Each structure stands twice: as structure tokens, then as C-alpha cells.
Amino acid sequence: MGTTARKERRTYSLDPELVRYVEKVRKERRTDSASAALEEILWESKRQRERKHQDEQIAKYYSSFSDAEIAEDSEWGRFAETQFPIK
């Protein structure tokens, strides 16, 4: 999660359904406060977004390969498989 550095105090207005959700998470996770629950929810969302972005970048990288590069990569993969002992 984030650092334990000094936190900033902010005020936000939320839809009542989201307020209930934060409260539900607070109870389920037994956090000390709604702010702590909201912070956990936001950290989870941040990690998911970063993972999605990383996955998109990896897919973009591999989709940029030419047919020749894909074939060469496959050949290297087949060669690598021959280098491991079979048990």
C-alpha cells in the first residue's frame, strides 16, 4: 500500500450508494474508519488500473511483432525447451 507519510485531509461528496459501500467495506475489513476503508478501496483501484495499463503495454509490444519476428521467437522457444532435462 502507500507510505505512512503525512496524510492530507480532504472533503468529498459521494453518492449515497457509494457511502453505503464504503461503510460495508469498513465493516467487512474491520477498518478503523470510513477513511481507512476508502483508502483501501482506492489503493486496490489504483493497482488494478496500473496492472491493466501494464497488460495493455505488453499486448501492444507483442502485437507489433512482424510475422518473421514471431517465427524467430517460436524457434527460440522450441530450442529453449530442448535445453531442460526431462525427468
Side-chain angles (χ1 to χ4, degrees), residues 6-12 35:
R6 184 176 175 178
K7 298 188 180 198
E8 293 185 30
R9 184 174 193 86
R10 299 284 184 200
T11 301
Y12 296 97
S35 290

Side-chain angles (χ1 to χ4, degrees), residues 28-40:
E28 289 173 354
R29 298 183 185 180
R30 296 184 173 106
T31 57
D32 295 335
S33 65
S35 290
L38 183 57
E39 187 170 11
E40 284 185 18

